[in-house]
Amino acid sequence: MFGWRLRSIGTRVRDASGTGYWLRVVSEFPQWAHGEFWTGNTDANTLPASIPKPYVLGCCEWNERDWRHQRAELSTLLPGDPCSTTDAPTTDLNLPPAWWADLRRTLATLAATPTLRTHADQQRVSRRIRDTFGDHVESHIEQWETVHGDLHWNNLLHPQLGVLAWEGWGRGPAGTDAATLLCSSVLNPATYRAVRSGFGDVLDSPTGRVAQLYAAARLLHRVETDHRHEFAAALRRTRIRPAQRVGTLAGERRTIRHTSQAPRPAQAREPPQRRGLPAT
């Protein structure tokens, strides 16, 4: 299995006893091979055990001459399969209510977990939103929580819930994960409605609406760079309208159950273009 832009590769492996594990190797230019994004999967070992995620058993790093840095991680193997072979499915996933309830509990547990890691601070959120939707769009975040940060359908397992890909987790806008999942569902109306139904209270909060703009802006940057025109067009057609939607927030003050501490400034983790291929 290849990661985004062939930056990583992963596969199931077995030891001599037949026990299964997941082996992932990521390849990066040396200037980016450090910081929170680089160690995110290992750092996630500290999260509560009730969160269904892989546990990194060991890792090693090495240089590939002087132009690439490699990192291998061996993790526990979760049961189930990805909900979709892509981040944005086009067919209905038909997930049962129990799965949605488990996801809701998992994200609530994650949100309440303290951490010094940062997914996105106010500066990053504002820059993403204004670069995409213009300077007139309100981007202030009132509530912060711990988020996964890349919660799309290829990072979720079924029939038993599992959550993969923890590189970018940390403090971020409340509702980031629900907003990212909603934006990843725009190609399938039934799945989009299911996310809206399950997380409506989060998405319709003041910070949740701004989180939708942040998630949409972040995904648009990715899919337009990768020339995924159908996905990009669907994102822009959604009823998130920066001027009208955010403009209604001035008089709206709701109580939402998240901590309000803003994260420290984020480390630079997302270079605009990284074109190298992983070593084999």
Side-chain angles (χ1 to χ4, degrees):
M1 179 181 295
F2 292 99
W4 182 56
R5 292 189 180 176
L6 302 181
R7 178 176 172 267
S8 65
I9 187 171
T11 187
R12 298 185 184 198
V13 296
R14 296 186 181 277
D15 62 14
S17 69
T19 303
Y21 303 93
W22 185 259
L23 177 63
R24 174 181 181 267
V25 178
V26 59
S27 179
E28 190 55 274
F29 291 112
Q31 65 266 34
W32 300 113
H34 63 87
E36 292 181 342
F37 196 82
W38 186 248
T39 61
N41 286 324
T42 305
D43 294 347
N45 283 354
T46 63
L47 291 170
S50 60
I51 295 177
K53 55 167 293 299
Y55 188 91
V56 178
L57 301 169
C59 64
C60 65
E61 298 186 19
W62 68 97
N63 291 320
E64 191 71 22
R65 298 179 182 174
D66 60 352
W67 69 287
R68 301 294 289 184
H69 193 73
Q70 321 285 87
R71 178 182 173 93
E73 297 171 340
L74 184 69
S75 303
T76 54
L77 185 64
L78 297 185
D81 298 300
C83 291
S84 172
T85 57
T86 69
D87 53 356
T90 58
T91 58
D92 189 12
L93 302 178
N94 293 314
L95 296 165
W99 187 94
W100 288 103
D102 286 345
L103 178 62
R104 178 84 190 213
R105 284 192 295 268
T106 293
L107 295 186
T109 299
L110 176 63
T113 302
T115 182
L116 296 177
R117 286 178 52 94
T118 300
H119 166 71
D121 58 10
Q122 183 65 68
Q123 181 180 14
R124 180 183 293 272
V125 171
S126 296
R127 186 181 72 249
R128 283 287 194 194
I129 291 176
R130 291 173 182 171
D131 284 352
T132 304
F133 299 116
D135 292 338
H136 63 285
V137 177
E138 174 59 55
S139 61
H140 176 69
I141 300 298
E142 296 181 357
Q143 304 289 336
W144 301 88
E145 65 185 15
T146 301
V147 303
H148 176 276
D150 197 23
L151 199 74
H152 58 68
W153 291 109
N154 190 235
N155 284 339
L156 291 169
L157 301 181
H158 79 108
Q160 182 176 332
L161 174 67
V163 186
L164 308 177
W166 289 84
E167 293 94 335
W169 73 279
R171 300 294 286 179
T176 292
D177 290 333
T180 303
L181 200 61
L182 184 73
C183 289
S184 298
S185 306
V186 295
L187 294 177
N188 185 266
T191 303
Y192 186 91
R193 289 193 296 268
V195 178
R196 285 286 320 172
S197 175
F199 294 95
D201 59 324
V202 175
L203 295 166
D204 289 335
S205 69
T207 294
R209 291 183 179 179
V210 180
Q212 290 179 64
L213 295 173
Y214 167 65
R218 183 170 174 267
L219 287 176
L220 279 168
H221 172 77
R222 176 182 296 182
V223 302
E224 289 179 340
T225 300
D226 292 344
H227 305 291
R228 300 172 63 186
H229 304 300
E230 183 182 5
F231 190 5
L235 277 171
R236 291 191 178 276
R237 285 197 304 268
T238 59
R239 60 192 184 96
I240 305 171
R241 294 292 182 263
Q244 293 88 344
R245 295 284 285 178
V246 180
T248 66
L249 300 184
E252 185 175 0
R253 292 292 183 270
R254 299 182 186 178
T255 301
I256 53 180
R257 299 175 182 175
H258 301 295
T259 60
S260 59
Q261 182 180 2
R264 58 188 171 82
Q267 298 181 22
R269 296 191 310 270
E270 298 179 337
Q273 298 290 335
R274 295 184 292 189
R275 300 186 179 278
L277 298 179
T280 58

